[in-house]
Amino acid sequence: MILLALDTAANLCSVAVFDVETGAVLASNSEDIGKGHAERLMGAIEQTLHGAAVELTDIGRIAVSVGPGSFTGVRVGVSTARGFALVLKCPVIGISTLQALAFDGARAFPGRPVLSIIDARRDEVYAQFYGKDGVAISKPLVTDLPAILDELAGRDMVLSGSGALLVNEGRDKPFDVATTEATGSIEAFARLGAAGEPPAEAPKPLYLRGLDVKPQQGFVMQRKLTE
């Protein structure tokens, strides 16, 4: 089965064609465009399909980033994936940017707990904690940096995401960092999409912050998974 992976949740416009049976990325394209995903995405898809020598009709599954990230970028990716899924009559699986960042963190530092953390601006961050086995031990949320620093006290965590720079700023002993990107690698989205079970409903954007939403405080975590 051939899977098409899309990520437009942040500054990157990323596409990959993935062979689920062999576990190989047949072709990928990731461009730092900042904004303008709606204008660039279809061309990137066409280019990547051509590079993989695959037709759009060969696609049997789609994986797409659902955020958190850019409000407009997330909508572009999700709507495109859902449109293709209707035409191709194939399942589409939503993968969060935090989940993809955790995948990249676990790959860079196997067997260690990971904090996926994205700079959300406005003195806030998007965050989610993952245990040594890669399973989420907190819900994805938006919070402030002091709350994150309190939660990290006395812990040995790998940081993955653009918020890592904020956490390590001024620290005498910085945490290990897997990546400082605002989203995961397109390979992470592809592999997570291949491993996931197709949902009963089409994916929706993951918006953690509305116009008037205050930061959530506190985490509900199974601490034994990170000990």
Side-chain angles (χ1 to χ4, degrees):
M1 180 175 65
I2 304 299
L3 177 146
L4 177 68
L6 310 174
D7 175 29
T8 57
N11 55 303
L12 302 178
C13 182
S14 299
V15 180
V17 176
F18 183 78
D19 189 322
V20 176
E21 276 68 35
T22 65
V25 177
L26 301 181
S28 65
N29 183 4
S30 186
E31 185 180 359
D32 189 343
I33 65 171
K35 298 180 180 179
H37 296 86
E39 293 78 17
R40 182 71 186 93
L41 180 58
M42 296 305 295
I45 292 173
E46 182 179 3
Q47 179 181 349
T48 308
L49 289 172
H50 179 75
V54 166
E55 299 293 333
L56 182 61
T57 52
D58 295 328
I59 301 300
R61 177 179 291 196
I62 300 172
V64 62
S65 172
V66 296
S70 162
F71 181 89
T72 302
V74 169
R75 289 177 64 88
V76 168
V78 171
S79 61
T80 300
R82 292 178 61 162
F84 278 155
L86 286 174
V87 172
L88 299 172
K89 295 181 173 56
C90 71
V92 54
I93 298 178
I95 306 295
S96 80
T97 50
L98 296 167
Q99 185 182 2
L101 285 168
F103 181 96
D104 291 334
R107 170 171 278 193
F109 296 91
R112 293 179 58 187
V114 177
L115 169 60
S116 294
I117 182 166
I118 301 170
D119 185 356
R121 313 299 181 185
R122 307 182 200 171
D123 297 321
E124 296 173 355
V125 293
Y126 300 125
Q128 189 169 22
F129 285 83
Y130 288 79
K132 295 178 181 179
D133 56 1
V135 176
I137 54 176
S138 77
K139 294 181 179 180
L141 51 80
V142 58
T143 187
D144 56 37
L145 189 59
I148 289 291
L149 295 177
D150 286 345
E151 193 62 42
L152 285 172
R155 294 179 176 275
D156 177 26
M157 303 287 294
V158 172
L159 306 180
S160 188
S162 57
L165 299 173
L166 301 176
V167 173
N168 276 339
E169 184 176 2
R171 292 185 65 90
D172 294 332
K173 186 178 180 181
F175 291 95
D176 288 328
V177 176
T179 177
T180 57
E181 294 288 349
T183 184
S185 66
I186 191 60
E187 182 179 353
F189 287 103
R191 293 191 180 279
L192 288 168
E197 290 295 327
E201 299 180 354
K204 299 178 181 179
L206 175 62
Y207 297 134
L208 298 181
R209 180 174 66 188
L211 293 177
D212 298 312
V213 174
K214 295 182 179 179
Q216 303 172 34
Q217 300 294 337
F219 300 86
V220 179
M221 297 195 299
Q222 302 173 33
R223 294 181 179 273
K224 62 181 180 180
L225 293 180
T226 61
E227 295 176 350

